[in-house]
Amino acid sequence: MSYMPQTPQKALPGAYVQTPAHQSQALSQQGQVSQAGAQKTIVEEIPPTARAAKAVNEAFWEESRYPELDSYIGRESRVRSVKVVLMAVVEGISSEYEVSTQSGWAPFQKTKTYPIPDRIFEQYNRAQVSTIMGLFTDFNHAWVAIDNALYLWDYTHPNPDLVSFEDASHTITAVRLVIPRAGVFVPSIVRLLVVATTADIILVGMSAQTASHGGKTVALYSLKMSAPIKGLDVDVIEGSDASGRIFFSGRCSDDVYEFTYQQEEKWFTNRCAKINHTTRGYSTLTPSLFFGQKVQQEHVVQMVIDDSRRLLYTLSSKSTIRTFFMRSNGTVDLVINKPLGQILSNVGHMTSQTELLTPAMKIVSISAITAKEASKTNLVASTSSGCRIFMSATSAYGSSPSSSTAPTSMQVQHVKFPPTGNPAAVQNQSSQSSQLIQYSTTPSVNTSSRALSETRSAVRYAPGYFLTFVVGEQQPGTDLLFVSGPDSARIAQPQIQQTPVKYPELALWISLGSRAEDVGLATGEFSATSSPVGFGNELAVQFDCPTPEIAVLTNTGVHMLRRRRLVDIFAAALRLGGGAEGLEGEVNKFVRRYGRGEVASTALAVACGQAFDVTPDSRLARISDPEVLELARKCFIEYGGKPEYPENSIHDRTIPAIDFVRPSPRHSGMARYISRLLRSIWKAPIVIERQNPTGGFTVSSVVGLGKLQDISQDLIKLREFLTANKSFIEGLAGPEALGNVHSKREEVSLQGEHRALHALAVLIDRFIEGISFVLVLYDEKIEETILSLANEPRQQLRTLSYEGLCTTEVGKLLAKDLVKAIVNRNIVSGSNVETVAEALRRRCGSFCSADDVVIFKAQEFVKRGAEAGADSDVCRDYLNESLRLFKQVAGSLSMEQLQWTIGQYVALQFYAASIQLCLDKANDSDRGNRALTWIQEGRPQGDKRSEAFQGRKKCYDLVHQVILSIEGSRTESPDMADGHLTLSGKRREEAADEIDTADDEVFQTDLYDWYLQSNRADQLLEVESPYVITYLQRRSSDNVAHADLLWRYYVQKERYQDAAVVQLALAKSRFALSLDKRIEYLGNARTNASTTRPGIVRSSRNEILREVSDLLEVANIQSDLVQRLRSDDRITAERRPEVMEELDGAILPLSVLFNTYCEPAFYFDLCILIYEAADHRVGSDIKATWQNLLERAHTTAEEMDQGPAPYEMVAESVRSLGNKLGLSETMFPVTELLPMLKRYAHNFQHESGPETWVLDIFIDLQVPFETLYGTLENMFYNDEAPFQGRQRRLVANDIVYIAKMWLQDSMRGSGSPFGGEDNAIAVSQMLHIVMQSGLDERRLEECQNLRMRIENLLR
């Protein structure tokens, strides 16, 4: 599976090609700097899904920065811009409303009114004392207390059943529904009904179940829990949702009581009791007595609990607000007492005196603001004049109290004054008017509006829904409802105006036609985030959470108010804005208020059917009006803005220009819409593993499967919209859109826009398929699937989010593992794998592609073949078909799938197919053959191409396993039987042919490596493949064993000259070889080079021979040197290893041997050999060295206590060196050596040894007698010292001896005397002269006889 192409396939000049992909690839392949020395920047291309994920995450980040409540109601407010955050002082007062009638801009709409059942009126007519009413909106129930009876009914049901509680003995004065404390009651008791009468307070259990029609059915249970409260006249009850504590108060005092309850009675406590947290001791038992003038007792009229701060607020009949801190030990402490006078004093610091805030007015209600919504603001107090006073409580300077610390002071932060205008006049406006009545056109705040001066009660719900019930002037006994809500879209936009936003609200007047009795939030409490920043962002959750609804109970029925989302307002504005003619005006209005990106996002949502409206029959329906959808489509396409390319501000030209393009607001709007659709699942984990009570393993989804299906449907609608309008949307139209560009700047901008929008389109597809995949996962026994995973993917799955699944490589690979696990489970269970695979491909093709389906089909054939039996023809047919399918999708096979398949093939003796499949997989994994180029370049370290080789090697390792299996199978079944090839042998032979004929050089290289690593060198030498020589040549450069194998392979193939070349290279190499080994290589090289074969070029052979001989000569000298130094006592023990290491290795140059070792060590014989090898022909140097040699030999002999005589050592040295030099005229100059030795014998060895020992040396060396004779003759005539005078007879004696020996030698066989008559005559004449030189008698007689013999021979 691969990502969709980043750019369209059609190639146009300059169209969609300036992406970083190609540049990055080229730079990575070059891996070098330019000639100028400047290093180019390598830009890695981001996959489309990753690019889109980045855009969506940026949208999430932007929406998470939605201002907290404190920032726009406090005295200091942050004015945000795109690039900078400014601080501006804002007065702590405001009156900014935009009031409309029930039109397109209305923030709320009345959806339906549920009448009070007739049976309630029947009971009401029987009332004798009192009647009170209220709502339990958590369960869609209303209640009425008539005297001592309580009745509940489902107000959403057309004909509800009454649930009654008639066990009270006294008149009911108050009713409250609270959450019970954990662990006290059975789980089915989900709520407690607290019923106060004139005599006692009673707890009633309530259970709830979902009915068939979608509503709730409740049942009441008597708990036998009550406490006496006679005389308190309780009318206020409040419960803590977090702790289950119940507080109450009455009309007789301002004391705060707590109703305690527990499961069982204890020694000192009853099951139920009441505790007074404000008045202690005896005073609680005595009534308050007043004398004289009657004083009205101050009492509590409202209680509010803030569990996030553990605070209990009370509002007294004298408009005093008290704050109590609920400690964890059960006590409740009064920490702040805020009388009305102090509140007005605080307000006086913000505004001048106003008639709306005077001691005569009252606070009619208070509402808590939790710590999740605001970090500083705690409470909102609504006054009878319609003002809202926001207050904060602090525990120290500049800090807000936490749930563990009690506040110590309370201060007014902001006052929101009523809107301007006459509610009666507004009430008479046409309900279909689309006019938006703005009251904030002037910069001053209106502090004197009496629009809400008759406020009877008020309530506030997060994130700022404010409902005020005003006594109707025209219809006494009825209420007008003023409802407002924050303009969230306007608050969310970065403000660039000089005048900061001061709590903007959209408001609406609604005539109830009756008196309001109670109000409640019909949906869950709003919370976009769990922290104040971002908490009130209604835009972010408008498609993810239920739309808030508020129920208002009057004496005629329950009126339902629905909060209108921005998408609903925009759709209504399009419908009522005058059609296509008025579109521009409406869109511009939205753009000015909310920004172009938000408008694009909202228009896209409307076009995709996200807008709802109330039908004439009071049904909530999706807006599907074609005209509205077309206007929304047109708005998204035509008003989505343009991409920006800041060409003039770009300084880094190494980065592709497309990366500087800022996509259009259309792109940001689209990313914003996608983020809002995916909000609940983006970071949510896919699975949650739990242990059930029985110890079993269960897996559940964090997000409901129905919710996932809804998100998927919304994404599908979005995809369909983009597909249908692709040709009209700038950036999605493709290359043909380039025909409309007029400059390079526009072209680059369009390319950047295309890349950004295309990435989002790819992301949409991925999430559609990703959700489908998750749904399939839960349909396919997810517990079994997860248990079948390996540890690592299972750990990854536990933390994998939907974002990770659909946008990361880890998620992609993990999805593959899950698909395989699903298929494997179906294989094990015997299900039809093809059906399962096809279903996966159809529902989530990116996670189970067409290739995956083919793989599963092939696996099915393998399974069927195994069932048929290895030796059956049916098995072979199945296996051949599976191989055909596997080869089609070899590149898509995972290693696990390949290993499984090879294991099955080997078990069924399908050897050749196993090797084929492995090689096909290896080739498909490296189509560019990058592994081969890496090998050819010497396998450089850190090169990315090595990854391609490692990928191939995993496949080759499977081939090695197949080879081992083949070898092991020979022990079970032989290759031959009765002279015929067996079936098993034939299969093994097919596998061997497959290996030998494979044209994958990388495979052959790896195979040969494996042969050598497993000691199979002989097997390598038997391979008949051209790759063997290439392999060995490549590897011999860094491995002696491979080089040895190479020349052995050459010799085996009778390529002797090539073998000699390799051996010569080994001798010259830097390998750690001993000198003897190098001499051995040279000797073998000389032998191989001397072997002639047809086709060998003689000149090349002679050149090799010459080089080998020369190097061998030097090596032999170095070898002699090594032997000499090894036994030389002059070298210290410390120095000897160092010398041996240097010499017993590489063949050194002659200059090094001579200058460093031979001459300093007085090895003069080796010096002469070096002269010979170096062709050094300087006679004086040679003569001097010979002289030094003789002297050194003589000195050495004399220094020896026992040993040869000096003359013997000298003779042996000359004789040995003469043999080595081969009587070279230059290096073994007889004419110089003979006189030199004669002088030595005369001066140092007189009368030592035989008389003729000097001449015997040369005779033994087979120096020609003619040369010896001539040298002696010259010595005789030259009369050189010391052979002068009588000493000339010594030379004469040698002449007689040489003449005698020459004659004997020449007379052997049929030779002539002295080689010829001329020589004989000359010798005879010389003997005649010698006879006159004073020979002794013996020599004289010998000379005469010799001369006579010569003369006789001459006759």
Side-chain angles (χ1 to χ4, degrees), residues 186-240:
V186 295
S188 60
I189 302 298
V190 295
R191 293 291 189 274
L192 292 179
L193 199 61
V194 186
V195 180
T197 69
T198 55
D200 51 11
I201 186 167
I202 306 169
L203 288 189
V204 180
M206 175 186 287
S207 66
Q209 293 181 341
T210 302
S212 58
H213 62 275
K216 296 284 187 178
T217 59
V218 300
L220 302 181
Y221 300 91
S222 175
L223 301 177
K224 306 298 184 182
M225 288 186 172
S226 63
I229 56 170
K230 191 171 183 179
L232 296 182
D233 197 9
V234 173
D235 64 343
V236 178
I237 305 173
E238 189 60 62
S240 169

Side-chain angles (χ1 to χ4, degrees), residues 379-399:
L379 193 71
V380 178
S382 300
T383 69
S384 58
S385 58
C387 296
R388 278 176 284 167
I389 303 174
F390 293 83
M391 291 183 284
S392 65
T394 57
S395 56
Y397 175 75
S399 63

